[in-house]
Amino acid sequence: MRQTARTVEGAMMTSERTRRPVEPEPGVLVHPMADRQLAVEHWLLSTLKNRDHARWEWQTQGLTLLPLGGLFSAVRLPQRLVLAVASGTGPSAEVDAFLSEAFAGGPVICDPHGRRYYALVPATMPVTWHQAVDDWRVADVDALGRDTYLGVPRPDLTTFDQHTFASYWSVPMASMATLCAPLSVARLIAAGQHQLAAQDEVELE
């Protein structure tokens, strides 16, 4: 199924938030957080021609729209499916930690207002995984690529704001071009579908 031209996903504006520290692993050379975030910012904005406007939106609104299908794509996960596996009741630090482990640190954006999560994946996934994607759509899961724009928070917005319900990085991008492995995303989707099916059976009893 072809994406509608200029579809916009997860475009919920935000306000200032605090930064979550990242703990380095032993023996790994780690650049200062500000340097990593700057590198991630440059990489994300390289998808655009007018980068100054995007930076302005990040500074004033906390979120800008970036085109998918070039450097990366996104798998849209309904909150209900994620919570079925993560055992949560809504966006939280615990759910964020679960996703970080499930995706081995791969980046995830949470849109609390839209009740969706977006796992950032290689740009080719909507095409290379198209058969699985067709099956996932019945669960409101989709792989979003070309002709779709995603609301991407500023790289340092990494905590859930219960007052604004604005988009944030559930799992921050650790370094430029670091993405979720498609197989890890597929496994979480399968687990979520299994849990939801089991819940529905219990409710019918």
Side-chain angles (χ1 to χ4, degrees), residues 26-195:
V28 176
L29 178 63
V30 178
H31 296 287
M33 180 179 290
D35 291 346
R36 292 202 305 269
Q37 289 180 343
L38 185 60
V40 167
E41 175 183 318
H42 286 322
W43 187 78
L44 290 170
L45 295 184
S46 67
T47 59
L48 298 172
K49 292 182 179 180
N50 190 350
R51 300 172 191 175
D52 289 340
H53 180 71
R55 288 192 181 95
W56 177 82
E57 287 187 325
W58 264 347
Q59 291 303 317
T60 60
Q61 304 174 43
L63 181 142
T64 194
L65 296 177
L66 298 182
L68 299 177
L71 290 180
F72 59 92
S73 292
V75 176
R76 185 182 66 207
L77 305 167
Q79 178 177 287
R80 181 170 179 258
L81 182 143
V82 171
L83 297 182
V85 184
S87 301
T89 58
S92 67
E94 291 74 21
V95 174
D96 296 344
F98 172 86
L99 289 174
S100 180
E101 182 175 354
F103 296 153
V108 181
I109 293 170
C110 177
D111 174 15
H113 187 266
R115 297 184 179 182
R116 289 169 172 172
Y117 288 82
Y118 296 88
L120 303 193
V121 296
T124 57
M125 185 174 175
V127 175
T128 56
W129 285 69
H130 68 92
Q131 291 183 334
V133 173
D134 287 342
D135 294 335
W136 293 341
R137 289 194 178 105
V138 298
D140 194 30
V141 174
D142 205 353
L144 309 170
R146 294 191 180 277
D147 300 323
T148 303
Y149 283 72
L150 178 65
V152 176
R154 199 172 64 231
D156 65 327
L157 301 181
T158 60
T159 56
F160 170 53
D161 189 328
Q162 61 182 344
H163 300 294
T164 65
F165 270 62
S167 297
Y168 72 99
W169 290 90
S170 172
V171 183
M173 183 172 282
S175 60
M176 60 182 186
T178 299
L179 299 169
C180 297
L183 184 57
S184 296
V185 177
R187 286 171 174 165
L188 183 136
I189 293 169
Q193 290 178 316
H194 177 76
Q195 290 293 334

